[in-house]
Amino acid sequence: MSLLNAICRETFSRTTFARIPEPALVMSGDETVRDYTGCGEAGGALYGPYLYNAMQIAARIRPGARVVDLGCGSGQLLNLVAGWNPDACFTGVDLSQDMLSEARSRASAGRLANVTYVNGDFSGLKGFESCAYDAVISSMALHHLPDEAALARTFRSVDRVLKPGGAVYLMDFGRLRSVDAVKIFVSKVRRSETEMLAMDYHASLLAAFSHADFSREAFRFRPNETTLYRTAISPLVVVVATRPTEGLPASTQVRFREAFARLSPQRKAEFRQLKWFLRFGGLSIST
Ligand SMILES: C[S@@+](CC[C@H](N)C(=O)[O-])C[C@H]1O[C@@H](n2cnc3c(N)ncnc32)[C@H](O)[C@@H]1O
């Protein structure tokens, strides 16, 4: 299928293919953790999206906030956010002990005293107090859930632990309309990234929940407070988010600019693509 065909299909088709859950719902094993964290280092393919998410998250939390990260993985995003927001307190939750020990050792290497990592299933958030958190965040994790019922359970758990008026920023892949479009996106990644990342991306896009799934959950979950955004043309990236709470502190802007300046031209271009495709889908960012 040509790129043009795929774009037409993504633009006009109303149907999508059946979801194929991730072969490994939990990410474990030294090799998996090493490969994954490699992509999240400065210069890696995931670092630009982390910077984007960190800015969006920073715009939704205030000093003193208690924040939970669902499926924190190796903690690279959460540690970045915790470093930028030293007056807030963060808890990352993941089912993978291997990912958690990587996250903890990175937090201690960065001398971050405001982040804790706990082992648990984010669909139930067992052990997390009700109405106790100011914000719940997540990046690239929801598609690891086994089915739509688990997605619904996750949104109910988020609703339970959040304080009234609490903030959310839940970002994930959305399901494309055709497997051929998935192949085109994956082949683009395969040309410049590792085979591991291309395979992981492939599995993620097949396992992504549909825009309709997110729309149903976002509508049930605090409908007057949250909005579902998606990248323009196709829902490659979806975000369920509350409105930003206030302007970003100058120190966050400076940290972002310094980190952005260190990106290679390719990574800068990828960041801008994400930023503009989400902006055309309704979600803006102050950078
Ligand atoms: C693709 S990684 C994303 C990690 C991180 N949020 C990021 O942006 O790089 C997904 C993570 O979700 C975790 N995970 C999957 N299902 C989970 C569940 N039900 N509860 C907690 N963690 C889960 C996996 O172990 C993995 O570490």
PDB file of all heavy atoms in Angstrom, residues 22 24-28 36 46 50 53 69-77 93-96 99 120-123 138-146 200 204, ligand 1:
ATOM      1  N   GLU A  22      -0.593  -6.691  23.414  1.00  0.00           N
ATOM      2  CA  GLU A  22       0.875  -6.849  23.474  1.00  0.00           C
ATOM      3  C   GLU A  22       1.214  -8.295  23.842  1.00  0.00           C
ATOM      4  O   GLU A  22       0.598  -8.848  24.765  1.00  0.00           O
ATOM      5  CB  GLU A  22       1.450  -5.938  24.573  1.00  0.00           C
ATOM      6  CG  GLU A  22       1.545  -4.484  24.206  1.00  0.00           C
ATOM      7  CD  GLU A  22       2.900  -4.132  23.609  1.00  0.00           C
ATOM      8  OE1 GLU A  22       3.757  -5.024  23.488  1.00  0.00           O
ATOM      9  OE2 GLU A  22       3.080  -2.960  23.256  1.00  0.00           O
ATOM     10  N   ALA A  24       3.826  -9.271  25.435  1.00  0.00           N
ATOM     11  CA  ALA A  24       4.301  -9.222  26.829  1.00  0.00           C
ATOM     12  C   ALA A  24       3.683  -7.995  27.477  1.00  0.00           C
ATOM     13  O   ALA A  24       4.083  -6.864  27.183  1.00  0.00           O
ATOM     14  CB  ALA A  24       5.818  -9.134  26.863  1.00  0.00           C
ATOM     15  N   LEU A  25       2.674  -8.236  28.344  1.00  0.00           N
ATOM     16  CA  LEU A  25       1.981  -7.093  28.943  1.00  0.00           C
ATOM     17  C   LEU A  25       2.901  -6.330  29.890  1.00  0.00           C
ATOM     18  O   LEU A  25       2.858  -5.115  29.988  1.00  0.00           O
ATOM     19  CB  LEU A  25       0.716  -7.564  29.677  1.00  0.00           C
ATOM     20  CG  LEU A  25      -0.326  -8.257  28.787  1.00  0.00           C
ATOM     21  CD1 LEU A  25      -1.497  -8.749  29.608  1.00  0.00           C
ATOM     22  CD2 LEU A  25      -0.824  -7.323  27.691  1.00  0.00           C
ATOM     23  N   VAL A  26       3.757  -7.073  30.603  1.00  0.00           N
ATOM     24  CA  VAL A  26       4.701  -6.466  31.536  1.00  0.00           C
ATOM     25  C   VAL A  26       6.083  -6.517  30.880  1.00  0.00           C
ATOM     26  O   VAL A  26       6.439  -7.531  30.273  1.00  0.00           O
ATOM     27  CB  VAL A  26       4.701  -7.258  32.860  1.00  0.00           C
ATOM     28  CG1 VAL A  26       5.731  -6.680  33.830  1.00  0.00           C
ATOM     29  CG2 VAL A  26       3.306  -7.236  33.478  1.00  0.00           C
ATOM     30  N   MET A  27       6.875  -5.433  30.997  1.00  0.00           N
ATOM     31  CA  MET A  27       8.180  -5.402  30.327  1.00  0.00           C
ATOM     32  C   MET A  27       9.279  -5.807  31.305  1.00  0.00           C
ATOM     33  O   MET A  27       9.658  -5.012  32.167  1.00  0.00           O
ATOM     34  CB  MET A  27       8.449  -4.013  29.759  1.00  0.00           C
ATOM     35  CG  MET A  27       7.499  -3.672  28.628  1.00  0.00           C
ATOM     36  SD  MET A  27       7.716  -1.999  28.002  1.00  0.00           S
ATOM     37  CE  MET A  27       9.188  -2.177  27.020  1.00  0.00           C
ATOM     38  N   SER A  28       9.767  -7.043  31.166  1.00  0.00           N
ATOM     39  CA  SER A  28      10.777  -7.548  32.104  1.00  0.00           C
ATOM     40  C   SER A  28      11.989  -8.092  31.361  1.00  0.00           C
ATOM     41  O   SER A  28      11.947  -8.335  30.162  1.00  0.00           O
ATOM     42  CB  SER A  28      10.173  -8.667  32.949  1.00  0.00           C
ATOM     43  OG  SER A  28       9.079  -8.178  33.654  1.00  0.00           O
ATOM     44  N   TYR A  36      15.127  -0.640  26.068  1.00  0.00           N
ATOM     45  CA  TYR A  36      14.100   0.391  26.221  1.00  0.00           C
ATOM     46  C   TYR A  36      14.698   1.682  26.781  1.00  0.00           C
ATOM     47  O   TYR A  36      14.432   2.778  26.269  1.00  0.00           O
ATOM     48  CB  TYR A  36      12.960  -0.112  27.113  1.00  0.00           C
ATOM     49  CG  TYR A  36      11.767   0.805  27.070  1.00  0.00           C
ATOM     50  CD1 TYR A  36      10.885   0.783  25.995  1.00  0.00           C
ATOM     51  CD2 TYR A  36      11.554   1.750  28.073  1.00  0.00           C
ATOM     52  CE1 TYR A  36       9.813   1.654  25.929  1.00  0.00           C
ATOM     53  CE2 TYR A  36      10.485   2.626  28.017  1.00  0.00           C
ATOM     54  CZ  TYR A  36       9.613   2.564  26.946  1.00  0.00           C
ATOM     55  OH  TYR A  36       8.560   3.437  26.871  1.00  0.00           O
ATOM     56  N   LEU A  46      12.903   8.217  22.187  1.00  0.00           N
ATOM     57  CA  LEU A  46      11.816   8.532  23.120  1.00  0.00           C
ATOM     58  C   LEU A  46      12.046   9.822  23.897  1.00  0.00           C
ATOM     59  O   LEU A  46      11.154  10.300  24.587  1.00  0.00           O
ATOM     60  CB  LEU A  46      11.620   7.374  24.125  1.00  0.00           C
ATOM     61  CG  LEU A  46      11.185   6.041  23.521  1.00  0.00           C
ATOM     62  CD1 LEU A  46      10.977   5.001  24.615  1.00  0.00           C
ATOM     63  CD2 LEU A  46       9.896   6.203  22.714  1.00  0.00           C
ATOM     64  N   TYR A  50       9.396  12.464  25.638  1.00  0.00           N
ATOM     65  CA  TYR A  50       9.468  12.703  27.093  1.00  0.00           C
ATOM     66  C   TYR A  50       9.492  14.201  27.387  1.00  0.00           C
ATOM     67  O   TYR A  50       8.827  14.677  28.301  1.00  0.00           O
ATOM     68  CB  TYR A  50      10.724  12.062  27.704  1.00  0.00           C
ATOM     69  CG  TYR A  50      10.701  10.551  27.799  1.00  0.00           C
ATOM     70  CD1 TYR A  50      11.881   9.831  27.987  1.00  0.00           C
ATOM     71  CD2 TYR A  50       9.517   9.833  27.716  1.00  0.00           C
ATOM     72  CE1 TYR A  50      11.883   8.445  28.081  1.00  0.00           C
ATOM     73  CE2 TYR A  50       9.507   8.444  27.810  1.00  0.00           C
ATOM     74  CZ  TYR A  50      10.693   7.753  27.990  1.00  0.00           C
ATOM     75  OH  TYR A  50      10.694   6.391  28.089  1.00  0.00           O
ATOM     76  N   ASN A  53       6.005  15.528  26.855  1.00  0.00           N
ATOM     77  CA  ASN A  53       5.103  15.151  27.953  1.00  0.00           C
ATOM     78  C   ASN A  53       5.464  15.891  29.239  1.00  0.00           C
ATOM     79  O   ASN A  53       4.588  16.307  29.991  1.00  0.00           O
ATOM     80  CB  ASN A  53       5.167  13.635  28.204  1.00  0.00           C
ATOM     81  CG  ASN A  53       4.509  12.851  27.080  1.00  0.00           C
ATOM     82  OD1 ASN A  53       3.670  13.390  26.359  1.00  0.00           O
ATOM     83  ND2 ASN A  53       4.875  11.601  26.916  1.00  0.00           N
ATOM     84  N   ASP A  69       2.204   8.209  38.484  1.00  0.00           N
ATOM     85  CA  ASP A  69       2.497   7.889  37.072  1.00  0.00           C
ATOM     86  C   ASP A  69       2.151   6.420  36.820  1.00  0.00           C
ATOM     87  O   ASP A  69       2.750   5.525  37.423  1.00  0.00           O
ATOM     88  CB  ASP A  69       3.989   8.152  36.798  1.00  0.00           C
ATOM     89  CG  ASP A  69       4.377   7.860  35.344  1.00  0.00           C
ATOM     90  OD1 ASP A  69       3.472   7.641  34.504  1.00  0.00           O
ATOM     91  OD2 ASP A  69       5.592   7.849  35.056  1.00  0.00           O
ATOM     92  N   LEU A  70       1.190   6.168  35.931  1.00  0.00           N
ATOM     93  CA  LEU A  70       0.748   4.799  35.636  1.00  0.00           C
ATOM     94  C   LEU A  70       1.690   4.142  34.620  1.00  0.00           C
ATOM     95  O   LEU A  70       1.843   4.644  33.514  1.00  0.00           O
ATOM     96  CB  LEU A  70      -0.666   4.817  35.030  1.00  0.00           C
ATOM     97  CG  LEU A  70      -1.739   5.639  35.741  1.00  0.00           C
ATOM     98  CD1 LEU A  70      -3.064   5.532  34.982  1.00  0.00           C
ATOM     99  CD2 LEU A  70      -1.919   5.177  37.176  1.00  0.00           C
ATOM    100  N   GLY A  71       2.303   3.019  34.981  1.00  0.00           N
ATOM    101  CA  GLY A  71       3.195   2.322  34.053  1.00  0.00           C
ATOM    102  C   GLY A  71       4.443   3.152  33.804  1.00  0.00           C
ATOM    103  O   GLY A  71       4.796   3.437  32.658  1.00  0.00           O
ATOM    104  N   CYS A  72       5.115   3.507  34.905  1.00  0.00           N
ATOM    105  CA  CYS A  72       6.264   4.441  34.831  1.00  0.00           C
ATOM    106  C   CYS A  72       7.468   3.845  34.116  1.00  0.00           C
ATOM    107  O   CYS A  72       8.370   4.571  33.709  1.00  0.00           O
ATOM    108  CB  CYS A  72       6.674   4.850  36.239  1.00  0.00           C
ATOM    109  SG  CYS A  72       7.101   3.412  37.257  1.00  0.00           S
ATOM    110  N   GLY A  73       7.526   2.495  33.987  1.00  0.00           N
ATOM    111  CA  GLY A  73       8.651   1.853  33.317  1.00  0.00           C
ATOM    112  C   GLY A  73       9.970   2.204  33.982  1.00  0.00           C
ATOM    113  O   GLY A  73      10.094   2.193  35.216  1.00  0.00           O
ATOM    114  N   SER A  74      10.966   2.555  33.168  1.00  0.00           N
ATOM    115  CA  SER A  74      12.313   2.848  33.677  1.00  0.00           C
ATOM    116  C   SER A  74      12.412   4.222  34.335  1.00  0.00           C
ATOM    117  O   SER A  74      13.508   4.642  34.722  1.00  0.00           O
ATOM    118  CB  SER A  74      13.309   2.764  32.523  1.00  0.00           C
ATOM    119  OG  SER A  74      12.844   3.578  31.469  1.00  0.00           O
ATOM    120  N   GLY A  75      11.295   4.918  34.440  1.00  0.00           N
ATOM    121  CA  GLY A  75      11.260   6.175  35.193  1.00  0.00           C
ATOM    122  C   GLY A  75      11.940   7.354  34.515  1.00  0.00           C
ATOM    123  O   GLY A  75      12.107   8.404  35.132  1.00  0.00           O
ATOM    124  N   GLN A  76      12.303   7.217  33.255  1.00  0.00           N
ATOM    125  CA  GLN A  76      13.040   8.322  32.623  1.00  0.00           C
ATOM    126  C   GLN A  76      12.181   9.576  32.490  1.00  0.00           C
ATOM    127  O   GLN A  76      12.666  10.677  32.731  1.00  0.00           O
ATOM    128  CB  GLN A  76      13.608   7.884  31.281  1.00  0.00           C
ATOM    129  CG  GLN A  76      14.803   6.958  31.476  1.00  0.00           C
ATOM    130  CD  GLN A  76      15.071   6.105  30.274  1.00  0.00           C
ATOM    131  OE1 GLN A  76      14.254   5.245  29.936  1.00  0.00           O
ATOM    132  NE2 GLN A  76      16.192   6.316  29.618  1.00  0.00           N
ATOM    133  N   LEU A  77      10.898   9.394  32.141  1.00  0.00           N
ATOM    134  CA  LEU A  77      10.011  10.559  32.080  1.00  0.00           C
ATOM    135  C   LEU A  77       9.745  11.070  33.494  1.00  0.00           C
ATOM    136  O   LEU A  77       9.852  12.275  33.760  1.00  0.00           O
ATOM    137  CB  LEU A  77       8.690  10.191  31.384  1.00  0.00           C
ATOM    138  CG  LEU A  77       7.602  11.258  31.489  1.00  0.00           C
ATOM    139  CD1 LEU A  77       8.034  12.567  30.831  1.00  0.00           C
ATOM    140  CD2 LEU A  77       6.294  10.762  30.873  1.00  0.00           C
ATOM    141  N   VAL A  93       4.190   3.781  39.355  1.00  0.00           N
ATOM    142  CA  VAL A  93       3.706   2.423  39.607  1.00  0.00           C
ATOM    143  C   VAL A  93       3.905   1.575  38.357  1.00  0.00           C
ATOM    144  O   VAL A  93       3.625   2.018  37.246  1.00  0.00           O
ATOM    145  CB  VAL A  93       2.230   2.436  40.104  1.00  0.00           C
ATOM    146  CG1 VAL A  93       1.313   3.180  39.178  1.00  0.00           C
ATOM    147  CG2 VAL A  93       1.696   1.033  40.307  1.00  0.00           C
ATOM    148  N   ASP A  94       4.428   0.386  38.563  1.00  0.00           N
ATOM    149  CA  ASP A  94       4.666  -0.517  37.437  1.00  0.00           C
ATOM    150  C   ASP A  94       4.621  -1.955  37.958  1.00  0.00           C
ATOM    151  O   ASP A  94       4.887  -2.213  39.133  1.00  0.00           O
ATOM    152  CB  ASP A  94       6.034  -0.230  36.796  1.00  0.00           C
ATOM    153  CG  ASP A  94       6.096  -0.665  35.336  1.00  0.00           C
ATOM    154  OD1 ASP A  94       6.134  -1.895  35.085  1.00  0.00           O
ATOM    155  OD2 ASP A  94       6.070   0.211  34.450  1.00  0.00           O
ATOM    156  N   LEU A  95       4.279  -2.876  37.063  1.00  0.00           N
ATOM    157  CA  LEU A  95       4.248  -4.298  37.452  1.00  0.00           C
ATOM    158  C   LEU A  95       5.608  -4.956  37.296  1.00  0.00           C
ATOM    159  O   LEU A  95       5.821  -6.060  37.790  1.00  0.00           O
ATOM    160  CB  LEU A  95       3.216  -5.046  36.596  1.00  0.00           C
ATOM    161  CG  LEU A  95       1.781  -5.062  37.124  1.00  0.00           C
ATOM    162  CD1 LEU A  95       0.841  -5.685  36.100  1.00  0.00           C
ATOM    163  CD2 LEU A  95       1.686  -5.797  38.447  1.00  0.00           C
ATOM    164  N   SER A  96       6.520  -4.297  36.592  1.00  0.00           N
ATOM    165  CA  SER A  96       7.813  -4.925  36.308  1.00  0.00           C
ATOM    166  C   SER A  96       8.870  -4.512  37.346  1.00  0.00           C
ATOM    167  O   SER A  96       9.264  -3.337  37.401  1.00  0.00           O
ATOM    168  CB  SER A  96       8.280  -4.508  34.907  1.00  0.00           C
ATOM    169  OG  SER A  96       9.655  -4.773  34.758  1.00  0.00           O
ATOM    170  N   MET A  99      11.983  -3.030  35.604  1.00  0.00           N
ATOM    171  CA  MET A  99      11.849  -1.613  35.232  1.00  0.00           C
ATOM    172  C   MET A  99      11.965  -0.742  36.481  1.00  0.00           C
ATOM    173  O   MET A  99      12.616   0.308  36.465  1.00  0.00           O
ATOM    174  CB  MET A  99      10.486  -1.366  34.558  1.00  0.00           C
ATOM    175  CG  MET A  99      10.420  -1.823  33.123  1.00  0.00           C
ATOM    176  SD  MET A  99      11.453  -0.761  32.065  1.00  0.00           S
ATOM    177  CE  MET A  99      10.794  -1.154  30.454  1.00  0.00           C
ATOM    178  N   GLY A 120       2.981  -2.488  41.362  1.00  0.00           N
ATOM    179  CA  GLY A 120       1.536  -2.643  41.438  1.00  0.00           C
ATOM    180  C   GLY A 120       0.901  -2.579  40.066  1.00  0.00           C
ATOM    181  O   GLY A 120       1.552  -2.232  39.077  1.00  0.00           O
ATOM    182  N   ASP A 121      -0.373  -2.945  40.042  1.00  0.00           N
ATOM    183  CA  ASP A 121      -1.158  -2.957  38.803  1.00  0.00           C
ATOM    184  C   ASP A 121      -1.933  -1.638  38.719  1.00  0.00           C
ATOM    185  O   ASP A 121      -2.768  -1.358  39.574  1.00  0.00           O
ATOM    186  CB  ASP A 121      -2.125  -4.161  38.870  1.00  0.00           C
ATOM    187  CG  ASP A 121      -2.981  -4.275  37.635  1.00  0.00           C
ATOM    188  OD1 ASP A 121      -3.001  -3.341  36.812  1.00  0.00           O
ATOM    189  OD2 ASP A 121      -3.651  -5.313  37.497  1.00  0.00           O
ATOM    190  N   PHE A 122      -1.632  -0.847  37.685  1.00  0.00           N
ATOM    191  CA  PHE A 122      -2.277   0.468  37.633  1.00  0.00           C
ATOM    192  C   PHE A 122      -3.766   0.387  37.318  1.00  0.00           C
ATOM    193  O   PHE A 122      -4.483   1.364  37.478  1.00  0.00           O
ATOM    194  CB  PHE A 122      -1.522   1.444  36.721  1.00  0.00           C
ATOM    195  CG  PHE A 122      -1.472   1.099  35.244  1.00  0.00           C
ATOM    196  CD1 PHE A 122      -2.606   1.027  34.474  1.00  0.00           C
ATOM    197  CD2 PHE A 122      -0.237   0.908  34.617  1.00  0.00           C
ATOM    198  CE1 PHE A 122      -2.544   0.751  33.105  1.00  0.00           C
ATOM    199  CE2 PHE A 122      -0.155   0.630  33.260  1.00  0.00           C
ATOM    200  CZ  PHE A 122      -1.317   0.540  32.502  1.00  0.00           C
ATOM    201  N   SER A 123      -4.252  -0.773  36.872  1.00  0.00           N
ATOM    202  CA  SER A 123      -5.689  -0.832  36.576  1.00  0.00           C
ATOM    203  C   SER A 123      -6.512  -0.866  37.859  1.00  0.00           C
ATOM    204  O   SER A 123      -7.682  -0.497  37.848  1.00  0.00           O
ATOM    205  CB  SER A 123      -6.030  -2.020  35.674  1.00  0.00           C
ATOM    206  OG  SER A 123      -5.815  -3.228  36.358  1.00  0.00           O
ATOM    207  N   SER A 138       0.395   9.514  32.698  1.00  0.00           N
ATOM    208  CA  SER A 138       0.829   8.244  32.110  1.00  0.00           C
ATOM    209  C   SER A 138       1.350   8.503  30.708  1.00  0.00           C
ATOM    210  O   SER A 138       0.876   9.414  30.019  1.00  0.00           O
ATOM    211  CB  SER A 138      -0.351   7.261  32.044  1.00  0.00           C
ATOM    212  OG  SER A 138       0.092   5.994  31.609  1.00  0.00           O
ATOM    213  N   SER A 139       2.344   7.718  30.306  1.00  0.00           N
ATOM    214  CA  SER A 139       2.871   7.849  28.953  1.00  0.00           C
ATOM    215  C   SER A 139       3.143   6.470  28.370  1.00  0.00           C
ATOM    216  O   SER A 139       3.850   5.657  28.986  1.00  0.00           O
ATOM    217  CB  SER A 139       4.148   8.709  29.009  1.00  0.00           C
ATOM    218  OG  SER A 139       5.166   8.223  28.177  1.00  0.00           O
ATOM    219  N   MET A 140       2.539   6.203  27.240  1.00  0.00           N
ATOM    220  CA  MET A 140       2.795   4.986  26.448  1.00  0.00           C
ATOM    221  C   MET A 140       2.619   3.694  27.252  1.00  0.00           C
ATOM    222  O   MET A 140       3.376   2.742  27.045  1.00  0.00           O
ATOM    223  CB  MET A 140       4.206   5.041  25.836  1.00  0.00           C
ATOM    224  CG  MET A 140       4.377   6.201  24.879  1.00  0.00           C
ATOM    225  SD  MET A 140       5.978   6.244  24.069  1.00  0.00           S
ATOM    226  CE  MET A 140       7.021   6.964  25.303  1.00  0.00           C
ATOM    227  N   ALA A 141       1.646   3.660  28.155  1.00  0.00           N
ATOM    228  CA  ALA A 141       1.482   2.472  28.996  1.00  0.00           C
ATOM    229  C   ALA A 141       0.110   1.823  28.867  1.00  0.00           C
ATOM    230  O   ALA A 141      -0.011   0.599  29.019  1.00  0.00           O
ATOM    231  CB  ALA A 141       1.746   2.826  30.457  1.00  0.00           C
ATOM    232  N   LEU A 142      -0.931   2.597  28.595  1.00  0.00           N
ATOM    233  CA  LEU A 142      -2.290   2.037  28.635  1.00  0.00           C
ATOM    234  C   LEU A 142      -2.483   0.912  27.625  1.00  0.00           C
ATOM    235  O   LEU A 142      -3.238  -0.036  27.870  1.00  0.00           O
ATOM    236  CB  LEU A 142      -3.329   3.151  28.397  1.00  0.00           C
ATOM    237  CG  LEU A 142      -3.339   4.261  29.450  1.00  0.00           C
ATOM    238  CD1 LEU A 142      -4.307   5.370  29.061  1.00  0.00           C
ATOM    239  CD2 LEU A 142      -3.704   3.716  30.823  1.00  0.00           C
ATOM    240  N   HIS A 143      -1.776   0.979  26.483  1.00  0.00           N
ATOM    241  CA  HIS A 143      -1.958  -0.064  25.464  1.00  0.00           C
ATOM    242  C   HIS A 143      -1.433  -1.426  25.935  1.00  0.00           C
ATOM    243  O   HIS A 143      -1.647  -2.424  25.271  1.00  0.00           O
ATOM    244  CB  HIS A 143      -1.296   0.339  24.133  1.00  0.00           C
ATOM    245  CG  HIS A 143       0.193   0.410  24.212  1.00  0.00           C
ATOM    246  ND1 HIS A 143       0.869   1.529  24.641  1.00  0.00           N
ATOM    247  CD2 HIS A 143       1.146  -0.513  23.946  1.00  0.00           C
ATOM    248  CE1 HIS A 143       2.165   1.299  24.625  1.00  0.00           C
ATOM    249  NE2 HIS A 143       2.367   0.057  24.212  1.00  0.00           N
ATOM    250  N   HIS A 144      -0.738  -1.451  27.089  1.00  0.00           N
ATOM    251  CA  HIS A 144      -0.277  -2.728  27.640  1.00  0.00           C
ATOM    252  C   HIS A 144      -1.396  -3.464  28.363  1.00  0.00           C
ATOM    253  O   HIS A 144      -1.215  -4.617  28.763  1.00  0.00           O
ATOM    254  CB  HIS A 144       0.891  -2.501  28.611  1.00  0.00           C
ATOM    255  CG  HIS A 144       2.202  -2.349  27.900  1.00  0.00           C
ATOM    256  ND1 HIS A 144       3.105  -3.376  27.771  1.00  0.00           N
ATOM    257  CD2 HIS A 144       2.737  -1.293  27.254  1.00  0.00           C
ATOM    258  CE1 HIS A 144       4.144  -2.959  27.086  1.00  0.00           C
ATOM    259  NE2 HIS A 144       3.952  -1.697  26.757  1.00  0.00           N
ATOM    260  N   LEU A 145      -2.538  -2.824  28.560  1.00  0.00           N
ATOM    261  CA  LEU A 145      -3.643  -3.498  29.252  1.00  0.00           C
ATOM    262  C   LEU A 145      -4.216  -4.604  28.367  1.00  0.00           C
ATOM    263  O   LEU A 145      -4.195  -4.493  27.140  1.00  0.00           O
ATOM    264  CB  LEU A 145      -4.731  -2.468  29.595  1.00  0.00           C
ATOM    265  CG  LEU A 145      -4.338  -1.478  30.698  1.00  0.00           C
ATOM    266  CD1 LEU A 145      -5.299  -0.297  30.720  1.00  0.00           C
ATOM    267  CD2 LEU A 145      -4.289  -2.175  32.059  1.00  0.00           C
ATOM    268  N   PRO A 146      -4.747  -5.661  29.000  1.00  0.00           N
ATOM    269  CA  PRO A 146      -5.198  -6.796  28.191  1.00  0.00           C
ATOM    270  C   PRO A 146      -6.445  -6.524  27.345  1.00  0.00           C
ATOM    271  O   PRO A 146      -6.567  -7.044  26.246  1.00  0.00           O
ATOM    272  CB  PRO A 146      -5.474  -7.898  29.221  1.00  0.00           C
ATOM    273  CG  PRO A 146      -5.605  -7.199  30.537  1.00  0.00           C
ATOM    274  CD  PRO A 146      -4.777  -5.951  30.443  1.00  0.00           C
ATOM    275  N   ASP A 200       8.992  -3.186  18.897  1.00  0.00           N
ATOM    276  CA  ASP A 200       8.204  -2.717  20.040  1.00  0.00           C
ATOM    277  C   ASP A 200       7.097  -1.763  19.561  1.00  0.00           C
ATOM    278  O   ASP A 200       5.945  -1.832  20.002  1.00  0.00           O
ATOM    279  CB  ASP A 200       9.149  -2.019  21.026  1.00  0.00           C
ATOM    280  CG  ASP A 200       8.464  -1.711  22.337  1.00  0.00           C
ATOM    281  OD1 ASP A 200       7.729  -2.580  22.824  1.00  0.00           O
ATOM    282  OD2 ASP A 200       8.651  -0.600  22.869  1.00  0.00           O
ATOM    283  N   SER A 204       3.107  -2.179  19.795  1.00  0.00           N
ATOM    284  CA  SER A 204       2.333  -1.124  20.477  1.00  0.00           C
ATOM    285  C   SER A 204       1.189  -0.623  19.596  1.00  0.00           C
ATOM    286  O   SER A 204       0.070  -0.426  20.073  1.00  0.00           O
ATOM    287  CB  SER A 204       3.229   0.073  20.821  1.00  0.00           C
ATOM    288  OG  SER A 204       4.279  -0.322  21.646  1.00  0.00           O
TER     289      SER A 204
HETATM  290  C1  LIG B   1       6.056   1.035  27.122  1.00  0.00           C
HETATM  291  S1  LIG B   1       6.377   1.121  28.829  1.00  0.00           S
HETATM  292  C2  LIG B   1       6.181   2.852  29.142  1.00  0.00           C
HETATM  293  C3  LIG B   1       7.075   3.301  30.236  1.00  0.00           C
HETATM  294  C4  LIG B   1       7.077   4.807  30.520  1.00  0.00           C
HETATM  295  N1  LIG B   1       5.800   5.290  30.942  1.00  0.00           N
HETATM  296  C5  LIG B   1       7.564   5.585  29.331  1.00  0.00           C
HETATM  297  O1  LIG B   1       6.875   6.527  28.900  1.00  0.00           O
HETATM  298  O2  LIG B   1       8.649   5.283  28.836  1.00  0.00           O
HETATM  299  C6  LIG B   1       4.918   0.431  29.574  1.00  0.00           C
HETATM  300  C7  LIG B   1       5.119   0.047  31.035  1.00  0.00           C
HETATM  301  O3  LIG B   1       3.854  -0.322  31.607  1.00  0.00           O
HETATM  302  C8  LIG B   1       4.056  -1.430  32.478  1.00  0.00           C
HETATM  303  N2  LIG B   1       2.755  -2.090  32.679  1.00  0.00           N
HETATM  304  C9  LIG B   1       2.026  -2.769  31.772  1.00  0.00           C
HETATM  305  N3  LIG B   1       0.844  -3.135  32.297  1.00  0.00           N
HETATM  306  C10 LIG B   1       0.837  -2.675  33.576  1.00  0.00           C
HETATM  307  C11 LIG B   1      -0.125  -2.699  34.628  1.00  0.00           C
HETATM  308  N4  LIG B   1      -1.313  -3.270  34.454  1.00  0.00           N
HETATM  309  N5  LIG B   1       0.190  -2.120  35.797  1.00  0.00           N
HETATM  310  C12 LIG B   1       1.406  -1.527  35.982  1.00  0.00           C
HETATM  311  N6  LIG B   1       2.343  -1.456  35.021  1.00  0.00           N
HETATM  312  C13 LIG B   1       2.056  -2.011  33.832  1.00  0.00           C
HETATM  313  C14 LIG B   1       5.110  -2.265  31.773  1.00  0.00           C
HETATM  314  O4  LIG B   1       5.773  -3.139  32.654  1.00  0.00           O
HETATM  315  C15 LIG B   1       6.030  -1.172  31.219  1.00  0.00           C
HETATM  316  O5  LIG B   1       7.052  -0.856  32.122  1.00  0.00           O
END
